[in-house]
Amino acid sequence: THLLVGVLYFTIALARHLDGDVLLFALATEAMVLHLIARRLNDQVVEVVGHSLSGLTIIWMIYRLGVVTIPYQNEGFIDGQTLTDLWVIASYVICAVAQKNRDVVRSYGLVAAAGLAAVVLRELQGDLELLALAVEAGVVFVLGQVRNDRVFRIGAHILFAIALSVMFPRLLEAEPSGTPILNQSALTDLCCIAVLTMVAIVTRELIVRRVYCLAVIAAVAALTVREFDQSVQVAMLAFEAGAVAVLARSVRDGVIRVYAHAFFVLLVAIMWERLTYAGSISGVIPVANSAAIANLWVIGVTVVTSRVMTDKRERIIYASAAHLAFLGWLASELSRMTNGQG
């Protein structure tokens, strides 16, 4: 009883003498200390008081980060308001560690994850924003796997969805900058793709694995198109399509095999356009040019893929497509010679 009365008077004193960031900092610290005391004394009443204070700070944080957009005057990630928010989020993590009830641990953990994501979206931009979101989502997913907690994994999927909503506009709209792949934007995108690949490998849920595989395939394809010129694009896309086909065979997943088929359909469309108009391009040496070599590489990958396919009809279709593409390639290059470009 004396402890509760002391806590009440102390909280009132804080509210009367402090305001803004300092008051939020103090209330979060007080709630965290109460949770630690409750664990130490195994006192449920003190724990309830700690939950009440934590709930108050959560409502305040929602106001600061979500419901109301507060104009921040300071530049950069390290300022008083942001540090206060980070401390409050850290206090939620400590509160989660101090709990014995699994549901309460889950609640504080998810609140901390949501708060950190909101701070990242508010304070960071560009590469740092994407990298921070991907790393946070990966950490939450690993925690879900270690704790065998489906709710944590769902939270990680939501964070990954946010990260993808940041990454794909970059991949589709941004112009390549600097050396292909070896530039800051591309390396950041590759880190995010690597985290997505980790989830696809580690997860035990078949549907989740398929969704993440699709996200990885699409992201790598978009990154390839953004970073390389046309001939290298086609060669890299063909290599990725073949790799997806090999993956589909190794894991025996029909859906991933459909992904590979879709990839090759895209390549067929690109090849058709390139072979149709190649003969009309002047000043290009027949056969010994980047476009012809890239097309030949795609045809070779298609032949190898036809050997990988386990279904007889698929093997026939891929082999036939490779033969037809080779004939089109020969006709295109011979037309260059006929037109005197050789």
Side-chain angles (χ1 to χ4, degrees):
T1 303
H2 294 293
L3 177 61
L4 294 179
V5 172
V7 169
L8 178 61
Y9 279 115
F10 182 72
T11 305
I12 293 173
L14 290 177
R16 289 189 62 182
H17 293 89
L18 302 177
D19 59 7
D21 295 330
V22 179
L23 177 59
L24 178 58
F25 183 96
L27 291 176
T29 304
E30 181 184 3
M32 178 186 67
V33 171
L34 287 175
H35 283 295
L36 294 174
I37 292 174
R39 180 182 177 89
R40 178 74 174 179
L41 301 178
N42 195 24
D43 192 319
Q44 292 186 350
V45 177
V46 176
E47 184 178 355
V48 169
V49 176
H51 290 324
S52 301
L53 278 177
S54 295
L56 179 62
T57 62
I58 289 171
I59 294 172
W60 196 340
M61 287 288 287
I62 292 174
Y63 180 86
R64 287 164 64 96
L65 297 173
V67 176
V68 175
T69 302
I70 303 174
Y72 283 80
Q73 303 299 325
N74 294 326
E75 297 289 337
F77 192 75
I78 306 301
D79 57 75
Q81 292 162 322
T82 305
L83 290 175
T84 300
D85 293 336
L86 291 176
W87 170 254
V88 175
I89 293 167
S91 74
Y92 297 151
V93 175
I94 296 174
C95 290
V97 174
Q99 304 303 315
K100 297 179 181 179
N101 185 290
R102 183 182 179 87
D103 292 334
V104 177
V105 172
R106 177 188 296 149
S107 299
Y108 276 105
L110 293 178
V111 167
L116 182 58
V119 171
V120 167
L121 291 171
R122 186 191 68 191
E123 298 292 334
L124 299 180
Q125 293 181 347
D127 297 329
L128 288 177
E129 178 186 36
L130 176 59
L131 189 60
L133 287 171
V135 170
E136 182 189 358
V139 171
V140 174
F141 179 81
V142 170
L143 287 174
Q145 289 291 104
V146 172
R147 293 172 51 83
N148 193 25
D149 193 319
R150 181 176 176 81
V151 177
F152 262 90
R153 292 197 294 270
I154 292 173
H157 300 330
I158 295 173
L159 290 173
F160 275 120
I162 297 172
L164 289 173
S165 71
V166 173
M167 182 174 70
F168 272 106
R170 289 161 45 101
L171 294 173
L172 298 175
E173 299 172 5
E175 294 294 328
S177 58
T179 306
I181 294 298
L182 298 178
N183 59 78
Q184 182 173 311
S185 295
L187 292 175
T188 301
D189 294 330
L190 284 174
C191 289
C192 186
I193 292 170
V195 177
L196 292 169
T197 304
M198 178 273 295
V199 175
I201 294 172
V202 171
T203 184
R204 306 182 188 97
E205 300 174 78
L206 182 60
I207 296 177
V208 174
R209 179 184 297 120
R210 289 170 174 172
V211 171
Y212 277 87
C213 282
L214 178 59
V216 170
I217 292 167
V220 172
L223 181 64
T224 300
V225 172
R226 188 190 71 186
E227 293 293 318
F228 296 103
D229 59 28
Q230 192 178 47
S231 295
V232 180
Q233 283 177 14
V234 174
M236 293 293 290
L237 289 173
F239 179 80
E240 183 183 355
V244 174
V246 172
L247 174 65
R249 173 170 178 169
S250 63
V251 299
R252 301 183 183 278
D253 193 320
V255 173
I256 297 179
R257 189 165 68 246
V258 172
Y259 296 163
H261 296 336
F263 229 129
F264 275 105
V265 169
L266 173 63
L267 284 172
V268 167
I270 295 174
M271 284 279 293
W272 178 261
E273 187 272 336
R274 288 163 64 91
L275 292 174
T276 301
Y277 296 102
S280 63
I281 301 175
S282 60
V284 178
I285 300 174
V287 180
N289 61 82
S290 60
I293 294 172
N295 291 337
L296 197 59
W297 166 260
V298 174
I299 295 168
V301 171
T302 306
V303 172
V304 173
T305 304
S306 70
R307 302 296 183 88
V308 171
M309 293 295 175
T310 56
D311 186 273
K312 184 177 180 180
R313 290 174 300 177
E314 292 176 351
R315 289 201 302 268
I316 294 174
I317 292 172
Y318 274 74
S320 301
H323 290 140
L324 290 174
F326 182 68
L327 291 175
W329 179 83
L330 280 178
S332 174
E333 298 306 311
L334 287 173
S335 68
R336 294 181 191 276
M337 296 181 184
T338 303
N339 294 333
Q341 296 178 25

